[in-house]
Amino acid sequence: MLLVAMAVAPAARADAHPESGPELDAAGTTLYADQGRLEIKGARLAGVHVIWRSGVKTGEDGCLAPSAGPNGKGETCGLTVPRDLAPDASFTWTVTTGAQAGPGPARAPEPLRPARIVLDRLLAATATVDLTGGVGRLAVAHPEAVAAVDCAPARCEPEEAAILVRALSVAATSLTLRIRLAPRYFIARGDALDGTTTRTIPILHCAAAIVSGPPLRRVEATKMILKVDGRCGGEPRELRWTVNGELAAIERVERVDGATYLQLGVGDVEDAQVTVTATRPEPDGSVVAVARVQVAVAPQPRAILELPGFGKIPFIPTNRDALLRSAPVGDHAHLVPLPVEGAYLVRAEGRLSRVRGEESAGGFVALRFGYRLDTLPPAFAATDLAILTEPLQRPVREASVPVSLATSTAGTAALLELLCAGRSGRVRAIAQGEKTSIPFAERDSCRLVIHRERFKTEDGTQDVTVEVNVTKLDDSSRADAHLSERMVLRAGTQPRVFWIHGMRAPFDRLTVRVSHMVDEAHDVGGSELYVNLPAAQWSVVVGEGHFRFYATAAIPTGLFRMTAPSDVLTLNFGALSRLTWLDREGHEGLVGLELGAMGIGLAATPGFPRTLAILGGLGVGVPIGNRGEPSQASVNLHAWIAYELRDDFPLNAKDPASPLASHWSFLFGPSITIGNVGTDL
């Protein structure tokens, strides 16, 4: 605002400064207030400096390269001044020392008063007269330039920084103002200058405000909520509502606390500003209300999906709900996930939202969100002011959560069971993780039951491996009984039953293991499940004997006969029966009772004949091969009492009076036994 009151400058100072100095044409000085430019005319203007002062503010600009005036007469120079100079600003001019010609003192500053002040505008381009309060007030950009205002039939009065409009008919739709400017002030109309200006201003009889905040640019289904004064909101549907000149549909009308709220469907907004206008229907077409707001850049929706207890997931599950969390989008605004027909559903729980893909859905889909404000009246709290689409495309598929295959917990039934018949023939469930014994006669009664009817649909498919292994008593595997099968399980109406075979000898040990095949791309939390796989395992021993009675061939080496005549019997061979106890897994006890017949002293032993002995006693046996098999080999240490079936002979063959050797003897020594043919008791 640059209405300038200044001291009168002399028309020319040629008498004080001859042609050697600059000359200013005061009548040609023009101030373009809205452009921030001061144009001076004269001769030899190079080096002229103009100084401006406004209150405590001051500044200056110099003319460095003046241009030739019209028709080559004189010079013209444009200087920069602030656009917001106060009306009481003053100007002076002087000459820089370098531009001063000839001897003499430097030129003192001289006052400068623009002959013309040119304005670009007095009223705003979108000016309206709001008569809601009975008196309209038009803001004026340069009130000091207004000399008089004529707006008949209304009454207009200029006041400080505004024009007051009174006594205007309520039926009036517009007002024509004719403003006469003060001396020296002009309005630019192209290259022409005019001392008066005429402007027709729309009349607003009701106040309107956009309470839904700035609309978002380039988004879907933009909506706006307007609050209008009760006087003009009585019949809002009878008015014609436009947004930036395009017709907008009234989607909803609510009255709250004496004011009327309208919901307008706007669609896609491309402009930087939105102007909402309400007009009366044709043929009247008068403007009733106008509201304006700047357009805002749409926030980028960002969201994560997670399964409680399993963490984040990169897809939309179709068999269970996923918790959706969206990032904040600003003060008083939030995003609400919206369902997409044929792709996924949304279920709200307070501020939390759960998303589930439709059962028949597949492929990829982007999450959609409704943009809402917390500051709207309750009636519009659930209004989506815009639809935002996440840039990320997410797959829609089943979520596979590896379930626990271990023993059932309280209140739940086991998903897997190994069933075998017991001693009475009654089928029972084998406990997981414990060694269980069943009669050898029931070895073909075991089966693995997978209860698909107990699987939950929300757990998805279960990719598992069933491993069956049968080991002999000596811990070697029966190759023909080994099974490893991979299968994909899902919820069903009937269980699956797998019969187990391959146990051929007492105390064969059956091991059944069911474990997940973890696939990080398929299973939820797959990268973490390697640490703690939810597997199930059973161990069953096919045999319940407590004692073992069997026959074996014994080859004692270095058997020591401790009774007279004592000696080492180097070659012996015979058959033994042995009774020993068995542990739960069928392993023989270390010590056993032995009874048998054996040829002793089969190699020539001085002083002792070859003979057959009936013996009995204790033996310590350690199997070294083919344990539990008929061909079992063991190393043993024996202590026997034997009765020798032989003829009598003297202890000392050279002494006829020598006593006879006893048929009873005590034998002690090691042996190797081969064979294990008998039965379990």
Side-chain angles (χ1 to χ4, degrees), residues 286-449:
S286 59
V287 177
V288 176
V290 175
R292 296 177 179 83
V293 68
Q294 295 295 321
V295 176
V297 177
Q300 189 74 30
R302 292 173 298 174
I304 60 172
L305 294 175
E306 64 180 52
L307 291 182
F310 297 94
K312 300 178 183 178
I313 56 174
F315 61 92
I316 301 175
T318 58
N319 58 326
R320 65 192 304 162
D321 291 343
L323 190 63
L324 186 146
R325 303 181 188 274
S326 57
V329 291
D331 295 339
H332 307 297
H334 64 278
L335 298 180
V336 177
L338 302 177
V340 175
E341 186 177 358
Y344 65 85
L345 304 173
V346 177
R347 180 165 57 90
E349 295 180 357
R351 282 286 187 175
L352 296 178
S353 298
R354 298 185 181 273
V355 177
R356 175 183 288 202
E358 294 195 10
E359 188 173 347
S360 59
F364 293 79
V365 68
L367 293 174
R368 290 163 58 88
F369 297 87
Y371 179 79
R372 299 181 183 179
L373 286 182
D374 301 331
T375 56
L376 294 177
F380 297 93
T383 300
D384 297 324
L385 301 177
I387 305 298
L388 304 181
T389 302
E390 190 182 30
L392 175 66
Q393 293 279 334
R394 300 175 186 265
V396 182
R397 64 174 177 84
E398 185 181 63
S400 294
V401 179
V403 298
S404 176
L405 303 176
T407 306
S408 61
T409 56
T412 62
L415 302 179
L416 307 175
E417 286 185 312
L418 182 66
L419 304 179
C420 296
R423 184 181 299 273
S424 62
R426 183 177 180 182
V427 176
R428 62 189 178 95
I430 305 300
Q432 295 185 28
E434 299 180 5
K435 291 182 180 179
T436 306
S437 298
I438 63 172
F440 179 69
E442 302 294 345
R443 60 188 178 277
D444 292 329
S445 66
C446 293
R447 62 269 198 187
L448 176 65
V449 181

Side-chain angles (χ1 to χ4, degrees), residues 236-283:
R237 297 185 184 275
E238 296 181 358
L239 301 177
R240 184 175 184 270
W241 296 86
T242 60
V243 176
N244 287 353
E246 299 291 334
L247 186 63
I250 299 179
E251 299 178 342
R252 188 177 176 188
V253 178
E254 298 286 344
R255 289 176 173 81
V256 180
D257 298 332
T260 301
Y261 290 83
L262 287 83
Q263 176 178 314
L264 299 181
V266 180
D268 188 7
V269 177
E270 296 288 342
D271 301 323
Q273 186 184 57
V274 166
T275 300
V276 181
T277 306
T279 59
R280 292 186 176 91
E282 298 295 341

Side-chain angles (χ1 to χ4, degrees), residues 437-575:
S437 298
I438 63 172
F440 179 69
E442 302 294 345
R443 60 188 178 277
D444 292 329
S445 66
C446 293
R447 62 269 198 187
L448 176 65
V449 181
I450 301 177
H451 292 283
R452 295 192 305 153
E453 74 280 6
R454 298 176 184 175
F455 281 68
K456 298 179 180 178
T457 305
E458 64 183 23
D459 292 330
T461 57
Q462 307 295 314
D463 191 355
V464 301
T465 297
V466 178
E467 295 179 81
V468 177
N469 193 36
V470 178
T471 57
K472 303 176 185 178
L473 188 60
D474 61 355
D475 295 329
S476 62
S477 297
R478 293 192 183 276
D480 56 344
H482 180 74
L483 171 67
S484 180
E485 182 176 346
R486 182 174 180 177
M487 61 184 67
V488 177
L489 304 174
R490 62 173 61 247
T493 57
Q494 298 294 328
R496 285 188 181 181
V497 180
F498 297 87
W499 290 89
I500 299 174
H501 306 281
M503 291 79 76
R504 293 186 174 84
F507 292 101
D508 277 358
R509 186 167 64 252
L510 167 67
T511 302
V512 179
R513 177 180 174 84
V514 182
S515 59
H516 287 281
M517 293 292 294
V518 178
D519 183 357
E520 294 184 23
H522 178 263
D523 294 321
V524 175
S527 60
E528 301 176 0
L529 291 177
Y530 288 109
V531 180
N532 185 21
L533 292 174
Q537 182 168 310
W538 297 267
S539 182
V540 179
V541 177
V542 185
E544 291 184 326
H546 300 288
F547 297 95
R548 175 74 175 169
F549 181 73
Y550 64 93
T552 184
I555 307 175
T557 58
L559 191 62
F560 184 67
R561 187 175 188 275
M562 300 185 67
T563 56
S566 61
D567 203 346
V568 176
L569 307 177
T570 57
L571 180 60
N572 313 277
F573 179 79

Side-chain angles (χ1 to χ4, degrees), residues 25-92:
D25 181 6
T29 301
T30 304
L31 175 62
Y32 295 89
D34 292 329
Q35 301 176 17
R37 181 167 62 90
L38 177 66
E39 184 180 281
I40 60 176
K41 295 182 179 181
R44 297 176 295 281
L45 298 181
V48 172
H49 266 238
V50 175
I51 304 168
W52 59 267
R53 289 181 177 83
S54 177
V56 297
K57 297 181 179 180
T58 183
E60 64 178 84
D61 194 14
C63 182
L64 300 179
S67 60
N71 302 322
K73 295 181 180 180
E75 296 176 342
T76 301
C77 192
L79 306 176
T80 300
V81 297
R83 296 185 181 184
D84 58 350
L85 279 178
D88 59 352
S90 62
F91 294 87
T92 58

Side-chain angles (χ1 to χ4, degrees), residues 9-26 41-45 93 95 100-101 107 110:
R13 297 301 299 265
D15 55 340
H17 299 281
E19 293 182 355
S20 58
E23 296 181 0
L24 265 68
D25 181 6
K41 295 182 179 181
R44 297 176 295 281
L45 298 181
W93 70 277
V95 183
Q100 180 73 35
R107 178 179 295 236
E110 299 182 16

